[in-house]
Amino acid sequence: MTLILKNIAKTFPGGTRALLPTSLEIAGGEIVSLLGPSGCGKTTLLRIIAGLQTPDPGAEIRFDGEDVAALPVEKRKVGMVFQSYALFPNMPVRGNIGYGLKMQRLPKAEIAARVDEVIALCRLEAYADRPIGALSGGQRQRVALARAFAPRPRILLLDEPLSALDAALRTELRGELAALLRQFGITAIFVTHDQDEAMAIADRVAVMSHGRVAQIGTPEALYRKPETAFVARFVGNAMPLGGRIGKDRLYLPGGVLALAAPADGKQAFVRAEDVRIDPEGPLTARVETVTFLGTHYRIVLSGITKDPLHALHSGLSAPKTGETVKVSIAPEAILTLSAEDEKAA
Amino acid sequence: MLRSPAKLLQLFVTLVTCAFLFVPTLQSVLAGVTANYFRGLSSGLTLKWITEVWELYADSIFLSVWLALACLAVTLVIGVPAAYGLARNPGRVSRILEEFISLPLAIPGLALALALLQLYGSFKGFRASPAFILTGHVLYTLPFMVRSVLSVLMAMDLKTLEEGAATLGAGPVRRFIDIVVPNAMPGILAGALTVVTLSIGEFNLTWMLHTPLTKTLPVGLADSYASMRLEIASAYTLVFFLMIVPLLMAMQWASARASAKASKAAQ
Ligand SMILES: Nc1ncnc2c1ncn2[C@@H]1O[C@H](COP(=O)(O)OP(=O)(O)OP(=O)(O)O)[C@@H](O)[C@H]1O
Ligand SMILES: [Mg+2]
C-alpha cells in the first residue's frame, strides 16, 4: 500500500506544536523509520496515521489514494505495535493474535488456520496457549507483532517496538524484526530514537527534529549527504569544525584546511573516521586520551577547534597521551552545511 | 514454644476476648434451637423455632434476597460504566464526581432516608413499593461498586489496551465487552459481593423507609426482638447468620483477589 501524507500538523490543546505541517510519501512494501530525539513528534505522527489522534484541519492521509482522514481507527485497517505492547491480559497468546480476525467476523475455522499460520511465521508455536503473563519481554514483542500482522492490515505501524527490551536482546531482535517485516512484505513505519536500529531495519529513514522531518533518505544518503547540521550530528555523530570559512579554505585554531568547494556562510563538520593522524597533515593537535577498542583506537584530540575532536585510528600503534601530533582531514570528508536549523536543533 | 509468663498472659487475653465475642453469639444461637430457653438445654434441642421464623418471616427473607439482587443489578448497570467513565477521563471533574458518588457513605443512613421520604414520600405508589427501599440501597451501595471497579481499572493501562483493540477493528462497544469488563472482573466481583452483603444487612436506612408490607431481614429481626419470644428472635439471628456469613467470607476472598490482581497489573 502506498501512503501519502500531506500537510499533517498537530497542535495540542495546551498549545504545544508537536508536529509542524509535514508531507511524506511511502511506497508499497517500503519500510520507513522515523528517527529523532525524544519529543520531536514521532509518536504523534504515527498515531495520526493510525487514527488514534486527529491532526489539525487541512491534513490529507491517503492509503492507496483513498482519503482515510475521516475514518475512525477501527475502520482504518492499520496494524499497530505499541511500545508497551498492550497485549490483552484476559486472553492467551492465541486469543490475542486472533482478536483482529474475530473483529472481521471470519468463520472460526479460518481464524484458527490464519492464527496458526502467523504463529508459525513468528515462531511462537511453543507459547500459543500461554497466558500473556507467562511470556518474556522478547516473546511478548513477537506476540504483539503477530497480533498486529494477523488481520492483514494495510500498513504496519510500530512505536519503538524494541525499546522495552534490554540492550543485548534489542540488538538480537533487531535483525529478526527486520527479517520478519521483509517476509511480511508489508508497508511499515517504525519509530525509534536509536540510529543503529533505524539503519539496520529501514529502507528509508526520516530524521525528525522539533516537529518536522529534517531529511528523508536511504541510510547511506543520510550518512554521506546530510542536508542539515542536525542530521549530520544525529546520524553518525558529525563533529562541528568551528572556524572561519574563507572561500575554499577553512581557518581553524589548529591550522588551515582546504575545502572541496567554496562554502561561504556555511558550517563545517567532520566524522571521527575521517580525522587522520598524518605526519604530513596541516593541523596540529594534542592527544588527550587514547582508548583501545580492539579493531581501532579512539583518540581525543584538542587544539584543532574549540571542542575536542575524536579520531578513529586503525593501525598497530597509537600516539601517547600528551603527545603533539599532525592531523589531516581530506577536503571531500568535510561536510559543509547551512547553519540555519542549528538553533532549532 | 516458650512458655514465658508474658506469652501466657497474651494467650489468656486472646482467649478472654474471643470468649467475650463468641459466648453471646453461641448463647443466642443455642437459644434459637432450645425448646425452652428458661429451662435451659435440659429442655432439649428443637428446630421448631426456626420453622416458626420461616413461617412468620419468609416474606422478609425473600424480600431481602430480591432487594439484594435488584440492588446488585442496578449498581452493576450504573456502577461499572460509571467507573469506566471515571477511569477513562482522569481529571478534576472526575475526582469531584467520584466524591459526589461517595457522599452517601458520609451521610448517616437516617438522614439519607429522611431526604428520600421528604422528596418522594408523597408518591404513594412508590413510597409503598419495595422499589422505594431499593432506591435507598442503591444510593448506599453504589459507591462501593464504583470504587471497587475503579481501583482495578486504574491499576492497568486501560487507554493503551483499548487503543490496541481499536487498531484491530473493535468499536467502542466491543472494546467495553471484550477488554474492559473481563479485565475489571476481579473488581466487579468484589464490588458485587460487597453490594449484596451490605444490602442484605442494611438496617438504618431500611428501617426508616420500610412499611409493614415491605419488611426486610434486619428490620424483621428488630421486629422479632421487640415482639416475639426470645427463642424466635434467637432462631431468627441464626437464620440471619447463615445467610450473611458465607457472603462475608466470599467478599473477603474476592477483594483479596481483586487487590492481588490490581497490584500485579500495576507492576
Ligand atoms: N496528549 C498530549 N498533550 C499535550 N502535549 C503532548 C501530548 N502528547 C505529546 N505531546 C507533546 O508533543 C511533543 C511530541 O511528542 P511525541 O510523543 O510525538 O514525541 P516522540 O518523538 O514520540 O518522543 P519520545 O521519543 O520521547 O517518545 C512533545 O513535546 C510532547 O510533550
Ligand atoms: Mg514516542
CSV table of all heavy atoms in Angstrom, one decimal, chain A residues 232-273:
chain,number,residue,atom,x,y,z
A,232,ALA,N,23.4,15.7,10.3
A,232,ALA,CA,24.8,15.3,10.4
A,232,ALA,C,25.2,14.9,11.8
A,232,ALA,O,25.9,13.9,12.0
A,232,ALA,CB,25.7,16.4,9.9
A,233,ARG,N,24.8,15.7,12.7
A,233,ARG,CA,25.1,15.4,14.1
A,233,ARG,C,24.4,14.1,14.6
A,233,ARG,O,24.9,13.3,15.2
A,233,ARG,CB,24.6,16.5,15.0
A,233,ARG,CG,25.5,17.7,15.1
A,233,ARG,CD,24.7,18.7,15.9
A,233,ARG,NE,25.4,20.0,16.0
A,233,ARG,CZ,26.2,20.3,17.0
A,233,ARG,NH1,26.6,19.5,17.9
A,233,ARG,NH2,26.8,21.5,17.0
A,234,PHE,N,23.1,14.0,14.2
A,234,PHE,CA,22.3,12.9,14.7
A,234,PHE,C,22.6,11.6,14.1
A,234,PHE,O,22.6,10.6,14.7
A,234,PHE,CB,20.8,13.2,14.6
A,234,PHE,CG,19.9,12.4,15.5
A,234,PHE,CD1,19.8,12.8,16.8
A,234,PHE,CD2,19.2,11.3,15.1
A,234,PHE,CE1,19.1,12.1,17.7
A,234,PHE,CE2,18.5,10.6,15.9
A,234,PHE,CZ,18.4,11.0,17.3
A,235,VAL,N,22.9,11.6,12.8
A,235,VAL,CA,23.2,10.4,12.1
A,235,VAL,C,24.7,10.3,11.9
A,235,VAL,O,25.3,11.1,11.1
A,235,VAL,CB,22.5,10.3,10.7
A,235,VAL,CG1,22.9,9.1,10.0
A,235,VAL,CG2,21.1,10.5,10.9
A,236,GLY,N,25.4,9.5,12.7
A,236,GLY,CA,26.8,9.4,12.5
A,236,GLY,C,27.7,10.4,13.3
A,236,GLY,O,28.9,10.5,13.1
A,237,ASN,N,27.0,11.1,14.2
A,237,ASN,CA,27.7,11.9,15.2
A,237,ASN,C,28.8,12.8,14.6
A,237,ASN,O,29.9,12.8,15.0
A,237,ASN,CB,28.4,11.1,16.3
A,237,ASN,CG,27.4,10.2,17.0
A,237,ASN,OD1,26.4,10.7,17.4
A,237,ASN,ND2,27.7,8.9,17.1
A,238,ALA,N,28.4,13.6,13.5
A,238,ALA,CA,29.4,14.5,13.0
A,238,ALA,C,29.7,15.6,14.0
A,238,ALA,O,28.9,16.1,14.7
A,238,ALA,CB,28.8,15.2,11.7
A,239,MET,N,31.1,16.0,14.0
A,239,MET,CA,31.5,17.0,14.9
A,239,MET,C,31.7,18.3,14.2
A,239,MET,O,32.2,18.4,13.1
A,239,MET,CB,32.8,16.5,15.6
A,239,MET,CG,32.7,15.2,16.3
A,239,MET,SD,34.4,14.5,16.6
A,239,MET,CE,34.9,14.0,15.0
A,240,PRO,N,31.3,19.4,14.9
A,240,PRO,CA,31.5,20.7,14.2
A,240,PRO,C,33.0,21.1,14.2
A,240,PRO,O,33.7,20.8,15.1
A,240,PRO,CB,30.7,21.7,15.1
A,240,PRO,CG,30.6,21.0,16.4
A,240,PRO,CD,30.7,19.5,16.2
A,241,LEU,N,33.4,21.7,13.0
A,241,LEU,CA,34.7,22.2,12.9
A,241,LEU,C,34.6,23.8,13.0
A,241,LEU,O,34.3,24.4,12.0
A,241,LEU,CB,35.4,21.9,11.6
A,241,LEU,CG,35.8,20.4,11.5
A,241,LEU,CD1,36.2,20.1,10.0
A,241,LEU,CD2,37.0,20.1,12.4
A,242,GLY,N,34.6,24.3,14.2
A,242,GLY,CA,34.3,25.7,14.4
A,242,GLY,C,35.5,26.5,14.0
A,242,GLY,O,36.5,26.5,14.6
A,243,GLY,N,35.3,27.3,12.9
A,243,GLY,CA,36.4,28.2,12.5
A,243,GLY,C,35.8,29.2,11.4
A,243,GLY,O,34.6,29.2,11.3
A,244,ARG,N,36.7,29.9,10.8
A,244,ARG,CA,36.2,30.8,9.8
A,244,ARG,C,36.4,30.2,8.4
A,244,ARG,O,37.4,29.6,8.1
A,244,ARG,CB,37.1,32.1,9.9
A,244,ARG,CG,36.5,33.3,9.1
A,244,ARG,CD,37.3,34.5,9.5
A,244,ARG,NE,38.8,34.4,9.2
A,244,ARG,CZ,39.3,34.5,8.0
A,244,ARG,NH1,38.5,34.8,6.9
A,244,ARG,NH2,40.6,34.3,7.8
A,245,ILE,N,35.3,30.3,7.6
A,245,ILE,CA,35.4,29.8,6.2
A,245,ILE,C,35.6,31.0,5.3
A,245,ILE,O,34.9,32.0,5.3
A,245,ILE,CB,34.1,29.1,5.8
A,245,ILE,CG1,33.9,27.8,6.7
A,245,ILE,CG2,34.1,28.8,4.3
A,245,ILE,CD1,32.7,27.0,6.3
A,246,GLY,N,36.7,30.9,4.6
A,246,GLY,CA,37.0,32.0,3.6
A,246,GLY,C,37.2,31.3,2.2
A,246,GLY,O,38.1,30.6,2.0
A,247,LYS,N,36.3,31.6,1.3
A,247,LYS,CA,36.3,31.0,0.0
A,247,LYS,C,36.4,29.4,0.1
A,247,LYS,O,35.6,28.8,0.7
A,247,LYS,CB,37.4,31.6,-0.9
A,247,LYS,CG,36.7,32.0,-2.2
A,247,LYS,CD,37.7,32.7,-3.1
A,247,LYS,CE,37.2,32.4,-4.5
A,247,LYS,NZ,38.3,31.7,-5.3
A,248,ASP,N,37.5,28.8,-0.4
A,248,ASP,CA,37.6,27.4,-0.2
A,248,ASP,C,38.7,27.0,0.8
A,248,ASP,O,39.3,26.0,0.7
A,248,ASP,CB,37.9,26.7,-1.6
A,248,ASP,CG,39.1,27.4,-2.3
A,248,ASP,OD1,39.7,28.3,-1.6
A,248,ASP,OD2,39.4,27.0,-3.4
A,249,ARG,N,38.8,27.8,1.8
A,249,ARG,CA,39.7,27.4,2.9
A,249,ARG,C,38.9,27.5,4.2
A,249,ARG,O,38.0,28.3,4.4
A,249,ARG,CB,40.8,28.5,3.0
A,249,ARG,CG,41.9,28.4,1.9
A,249,ARG,CD,43.0,27.4,2.3
A,249,ARG,NE,44.0,27.3,1.2
A,249,ARG,CZ,43.8,26.5,0.2
A,249,ARG,NH1,42.7,25.9,0.0
A,249,ARG,NH2,44.8,26.4,-0.7
A,250,LEU,N,39.3,26.6,5.1
A,250,LEU,CA,38.7,26.6,6.5
A,250,LEU,C,39.8,26.9,7.5
A,250,LEU,O,40.8,26.2,7.6
A,250,LEU,CB,38.1,25.2,6.8
A,250,LEU,CG,37.6,25.0,8.2
A,250,LEU,CD1,36.5,26.0,8.6
A,250,LEU,CD2,37.0,23.6,8.3
A,251,TYR,N,39.7,28.1,8.1
A,251,TYR,CA,40.7,28.5,9.1
A,251,TYR,C,40.4,28.1,10.5
A,251,TYR,O,39.4,28.6,11.1
A,251,TYR,CB,40.9,30.0,9.0
A,251,TYR,CG,41.3,30.5,7.6
A,251,TYR,CD1,40.4,30.9,6.7
A,251,TYR,CD2,42.7,30.5,7.3
A,251,TYR,CE1,40.7,31.3,5.4
A,251,TYR,CE2,43.1,30.9,6.0
A,251,TYR,CZ,42.1,31.3,5.1
A,251,TYR,OH,42.4,31.7,3.8
A,252,LEU,N,41.1,27.1,11.0
A,252,LEU,CA,40.8,26.6,12.4
A,252,LEU,C,41.9,27.1,13.3
A,252,LEU,O,43.1,27.4,12.9
A,252,LEU,CB,40.8,25.1,12.3
A,252,LEU,CG,39.7,24.5,11.5
A,252,LEU,CD1,40.0,23.0,11.4
A,252,LEU,CD2,38.3,24.7,12.2
A,253,PRO,N,41.7,27.1,14.6
A,253,PRO,CA,42.8,27.4,15.6
A,253,PRO,C,44.0,26.5,15.4
A,253,PRO,O,45.1,26.9,15.6
A,253,PRO,CB,42.1,27.1,16.9
A,253,PRO,CG,40.7,27.3,16.7
A,253,PRO,CD,40.4,26.9,15.3
A,254,GLY,N,43.8,25.3,14.9
A,254,GLY,CA,44.9,24.3,14.8
A,254,GLY,C,45.5,24.3,13.4
A,254,GLY,O,46.4,23.4,13.2
A,255,GLY,N,45.1,25.1,12.5
A,255,GLY,CA,45.7,25.1,11.2
A,255,GLY,C,44.6,25.4,10.1
A,255,GLY,O,43.5,25.8,10.4
A,256,VAL,N,45.0,25.3,8.9
A,256,VAL,CA,44.2,25.6,7.7
A,256,VAL,C,43.9,24.4,6.9
A,256,VAL,O,44.8,23.6,6.6
A,256,VAL,CB,44.8,26.7,6.9
A,256,VAL,CG1,43.8,27.1,5.7
A,256,VAL,CG2,45.1,27.9,7.7
A,257,LEU,N,42.6,24.2,6.6
A,257,LEU,CA,42.2,23.1,5.7
A,257,LEU,C,41.7,23.5,4.4
A,257,LEU,O,41.1,24.6,4.3
A,257,LEU,CB,41.1,22.2,6.4
A,257,LEU,CG,41.5,21.4,7.6
A,257,LEU,CD1,40.3,20.8,8.3
A,257,LEU,CD2,42.4,20.2,7.1
A,258,ALA,N,41.9,22.7,3.4
A,258,ALA,CA,41.3,23.0,2.1
A,258,ALA,C,39.9,22.4,2.0
A,258,ALA,O,39.7,21.4,2.6
A,258,ALA,CB,42.2,22.4,1.0
A,259,LEU,N,39.0,23.1,1.4
A,259,LEU,CA,37.7,22.6,1.2
A,259,LEU,C,37.5,22.2,-0.3
A,259,LEU,O,38.2,22.7,-1.2
A,259,LEU,CB,36.7,23.7,1.5
A,259,LEU,CG,36.6,24.2,2.9
A,259,LEU,CD1,35.6,25.4,3.1
A,259,LEU,CD2,36.1,23.1,3.8
A,260,ALA,N,36.6,21.3,-0.5
A,260,ALA,CA,36.4,20.8,-1.9
A,260,ALA,C,35.7,21.8,-2.8
A,260,ALA,O,35.9,21.9,-4.0
A,260,ALA,CB,35.6,19.5,-1.9
A,261,ALA,N,34.9,22.7,-2.1
A,261,ALA,CA,34.2,23.7,-2.9
A,261,ALA,C,34.0,24.9,-2.0
A,261,ALA,O,34.0,24.8,-0.8
A,261,ALA,CB,32.8,23.2,-3.3
A,262,PRO,N,33.8,26.1,-2.6
A,262,PRO,CA,33.6,27.3,-1.8
A,262,PRO,C,32.3,27.1,-0.9
A,262,PRO,O,31.4,26.5,-1.3
A,262,PRO,CB,33.3,28.4,-2.8
A,262,PRO,CG,33.8,27.9,-4.1
A,262,PRO,CD,33.8,26.4,-4.0
A,263,ALA,N,32.4,27.5,0.3
A,263,ALA,CA,31.3,27.3,1.2
A,263,ALA,C,31.1,28.4,2.1
A,263,ALA,O,30.9,28.3,3.4
A,263,ALA,CB,31.6,26.0,2.1
A,264,ASP,N,31.0,29.7,1.5
A,264,ASP,CA,30.8,30.9,2.4
A,264,ASP,C,29.5,30.8,3.2
A,264,ASP,O,28.5,30.4,2.7
A,264,ASP,CB,30.8,32.1,1.5
A,264,ASP,CG,32.2,32.3,0.8
A,264,ASP,OD1,33.2,32.4,1.6
A,264,ASP,OD2,32.3,32.2,-0.4
A,265,GLY,N,29.6,31.2,4.4
A,265,GLY,CA,28.4,31.3,5.2
A,265,GLY,C,27.9,30.0,5.7
A,265,GLY,O,26.8,29.9,6.3
A,266,LYS,N,28.7,28.9,5.5
A,266,LYS,CA,28.2,27.6,6.0
A,266,LYS,C,29.0,27.2,7.2
A,266,LYS,O,29.9,27.8,7.6
A,266,LYS,CB,28.3,26.6,4.8
A,266,LYS,CG,27.5,26.9,3.7
A,266,LYS,CD,27.3,25.7,2.8
A,266,LYS,CE,26.2,26.0,1.8
A,266,LYS,NZ,26.1,24.9,0.8
A,267,GLN,N,28.6,26.0,7.7
A,267,GLN,CA,29.3,25.4,8.8
A,267,GLN,C,30.0,24.1,8.4
A,267,GLN,O,29.4,23.4,7.6
A,267,GLN,CB,28.3,25.1,10.0
A,267,GLN,CG,28.3,26.1,11.1
A,267,GLN,CD,27.6,25.6,12.3
A,267,GLN,OE1,26.8,24.7,12.2
A,267,GLN,NE2,27.8,26.3,13.4
A,268,ALA,N,31.1,23.8,9.0
A,268,ALA,CA,31.8,22.6,8.6
A,268,ALA,C,31.7,21.6,9.7
A,268,ALA,O,31.7,21.9,10.8
A,268,ALA,CB,33.3,23.0,8.3
A,269,PHE,N,31.6,20.3,9.2
A,269,PHE,CA,31.5,19.2,10.1
A,269,PHE,C,32.4,18.1,9.6
A,269,PHE,O,32.7,18.0,8.5
A,269,PHE,CB,30.1,18.6,10.2
A,269,PHE,CG,29.1,19.6,10.9
A,269,PHE,CD1,28.5,20.6,10.2
A,269,PHE,CD2,28.9,19.4,12.2
A,269,PHE,CE1,27.7,21.5,10.8
A,269,PHE,CE2,28.0,20.3,12.9
A,269,PHE,CZ,27.4,21.3,12.1
A,270,VAL,N,32.8,17.2,10.6
A,270,VAL,CA,33.6,16.0,10.2
A,270,VAL,C,33.2,14.9,11.1
A,270,VAL,O,32.8,15.1,12.2
A,270,VAL,CB,35.1,16.3,10.2
A,270,VAL,CG1,35.6,16.5,11.6
A,270,VAL,CG2,35.9,15.3,9.5
A,271,ARG,N,33.4,13.6,10.6
A,271,ARG,CA,33.1,12.5,11.4
A,271,ARG,C,34.5,11.9,11.9
A,271,ARG,O,35.5,12.0,11.2
A,271,ARG,CB,32.4,11.4,10.6
A,271,ARG,CG,31.0,11.9,10.3
A,271,ARG,CD,30.1,10.6,10.1
A,271,ARG,NE,28.7,11.1,10.0
A,271,ARG,CZ,28.1,11.5,8.9
A,271,ARG,NH1,28.8,11.5,7.8
A,271,ARG,NH2,26.9,11.8,8.9
A,272,ALA,N,34.4,11.2,13.0
A,272,ALA,CA,35.6,10.7,13.6
A,272,ALA,C,36.4,9.8,12.7
A,272,ALA,O,37.7,9.9,12.7
A,272,ALA,CB,35.2,9.9,14.9
A,273,GLU,N,35.8,9.0,11.8
A,273,GLU,CA,36.6,8.1,11.0
A,273,GLU,C,37.3,8.9,9.9
A,273,GLU,O,38.2,8.3,9.2
A,273,GLU,CB,35.7,7.0,10.4
A,273,GLU,CG,34.6,7.5,9.4
A,273,GLU,CD,33.3,7.7,10.1
A,273,GLU,OE1,33.3,8.1,11.3
A,273,GLU,OE2,32.3,7.5,9.4
